[in-house]
Amino acid sequence: MSARRPTPGEGERSKPVTVSAIRNAKGGEPLVCLTAYTTPVAQALDASCDLLLVGDSLGMVVYGLDSTIPVTLDMMIAHGAAVVRGAKHALVVVDLPFGAYQESPAQAFRSAARILAETGCGAVKLEGGAVMAETINFLTQRGVPVLAHVGLQPQSVNALGGYAARGKQAAEAEAIVADARAVTDAGAFAVVIEGVVAPLAARITSTIRVPTIGIGASAECDGQILVTDDMMGVTFGHVPKFVRRYADVGAAMKAAAEAYAADVRARRFPGEEHLYGAPKPQVAAG
């Protein structure tokens, strides 16, 4: 039996995780990945994670948009820089938003160069399989590390007709396998597999030579990622089947707001201990 490969930074949680460490984690302890959009959240997650993704999901999670389509490059850069300021260990990867890379490899490079230069992140992520292989190769040959994304692609939801799981039909499954191979051959250091049937994700993981990071995919992937707000119970409404909620922060926030409102309305807050220049209690003479 071969020795288990360590996960990036194992035993050295203060040491920054690199793109090379992620690439070399294939077959090792599963990679732990979460999304982050702000400095405080990055600080809270950093020590537990190998990779923090500044996903264009921020359009829906932070801004209340109906999809990721309206997210701009400037939005990604602002949030990417915030996350980099809070991350000392995890590799920070920033999404290229819709319309910032599909036109041509040159456009993709200009967008990626801005993200790397203005955020200080370690890599970018883009959606698309074989159709984006030329772009991925163009970027990686010019020093831009790329995390690929195949399967369900939220930026293409209008063309795909919704968020249903992919790969149920044989032809579609073979196309997704071909996509994963194409982006790997083009130079991606890892591949996110989203929203595909579990056997297909397991097959891709055993087929390609770089790590796979699953979301709504398979436990056999080389790592897992979730939207932190979903995992923490901060988002409201529909919760995807593939999400496990590890906390109910949203309920705690509501309860705290209710307690605060009650104290304000009853004039219990602020108390003397919260005020500047408040008179000190008098001590009775003995």
Side-chain angles (χ1 to χ4, degrees), residues 43-174:
Q43 290 172 325
L45 304 180
D46 186 44
S48 298
C49 292
D50 303 303
L51 186 152
L52 290 175
L53 174 66
V54 187
D56 58 2
S57 51
L58 65 85
M60 303 165 79
V61 174
V62 178
Y63 292 94
L65 300 171
D66 291 332
S67 73
T68 63
I69 304 301
V71 173
T72 67
L73 189 60
D74 286 340
M75 290 164 68
M76 296 308 305
I77 289 171
H79 287 273
V83 170
V84 168
R85 286 192 288 271
K88 307 302 179 187
H89 167 73
L91 176 71
V92 177
V93 180
V94 178
D95 266 350
L96 283 166
F98 180 75
Y101 64 96
Q102 290 94 340
E103 180 181 337
S104 67
Q107 182 207 30
F109 179 78
R110 288 192 297 271
S111 298
R114 275 198 64 195
I115 287 176
L116 293 176
E118 296 179 38
T119 70
C121 71
V124 299
K125 181 174 78 67
L126 58 79
E127 295 181 11
V131 70
M132 296 309 302
E134 179 186 0
T135 295
I136 293 172
N137 181 259
F138 189 91
L139 293 177
T140 57
Q141 290 297 313
R142 286 159 179 78
V144 179
V146 176
L147 173 61
H149 183 143
V150 302
L152 175 62
Q153 299 165 37
Q155 291 179 7
S156 301
V157 67
N158 290 334
L160 295 173
Y163 293 95
R166 309 294 164 183
K168 295 180 179 179
Q169 304 301 319
E172 185 178 54
E174 292 305 318

Side-chain angles (χ1 to χ4, degrees), residues 177-212:
V177 172
D179 281 342
R181 286 173 171 157
V183 297
T184 299
D185 292 342
F189 68 86
V191 180
V192 171
I193 307 175
E194 179 171 359
V196 305
V197 294
L200 176 58
R203 177 185 166 194
I204 292 171
T205 299
S206 67
T207 298
I208 65 174
R209 63 182 179 274
V210 298
T212 58

